[in-house]
Amino acid sequence: MSNTVPSLRPQILVYHHGGRCDVLDFVEYGIEEEGVPWQVERIPRDELLMVANMAAEDSRLGIGIAIGDGNPSRIVLQHERMPEEQPIFDLSSPTTTQARLLGANSARLAKRTPLKRIRE
């Protein structure tokens, strides 16, 4: 159970730890390109698997993204039906292209369209 307020709107929830960064910007660009609403919230926790799971549970779409500001940075995409330890994507040191594709894929999950491949 999270201590955040569950979203009432059907939207992807993006929880991030730390300040605004390029990775967050490019995740948002990817979601926006697919035309799905999203909301960004800053949270104090940095255990990203747990945070991504919490975001997915709080989202009415069941889709959550967690972004850490560590060095290197990390992004986790989670769906509420997946086990916490098995996220859909877990990228360490993502490039801006990978971050954009992960954002697009989160929106594609909501639209139930095929995911784009994210090359390592």
Side-chain angles (χ1 to χ4, degrees):
M1 188 77 166
S2 75
N3 59 359
T4 58
V5 177
S7 173
L8 299 177
R9 293 182 54 204
Q11 58 190 0
I12 296 166
L13 290 181
V14 181
Y15 291 171
H16 73 101
H17 176 76
R20 188 136 189 112
C21 60
D22 284 347
V23 170
L24 174 57
D25 289 340
F26 279 87
V27 166
E28 289 185 285
Y29 297 155
I31 298 170
E32 183 178 28
E33 288 169 5
E34 296 290 334
V36 174
W38 76 95
Q39 179 179 337
V40 176
E41 292 184 29
R42 185 174 180 197
I43 61 166
R45 294 181 166 168
D46 63 354
E47 305 94 11
L48 291 191
L49 291 177
M50 182 182 71
V51 170
N53 198 57
M54 191 168 60
E57 289 178 356
D58 290 346
S59 165
R60 283 194 57 206
L61 293 176
I63 301 166
I65 297 173
I67 301 173
D69 70 342
N71 189 12
S73 62
R74 184 174 164 208
I75 313 172
V76 177
L77 169 60
Q78 182 62 287
H79 189 277
E80 67 180 351
R81 293 187 181 170
M82 296 295 291
E84 181 177 316
E85 64 280 356
Q86 293 179 336
I88 297 170
F89 289 102
D90 185 348
L91 302 175
S92 292
S93 303
T95 65
T96 54
T97 299
Q98 290 172 322
R100 187 180 56 75
L101 286 170
L102 185 137
N105 280 340
S106 67
R108 286 173 164 253
L109 277 173
K111 297 183 336 182
R112 299 181 182 206
T113 58
L115 302 182
K116 296 178 178 180
R117 183 175 180 171
I118 300 177
R119 298 188 188 273
E120 301 271 332

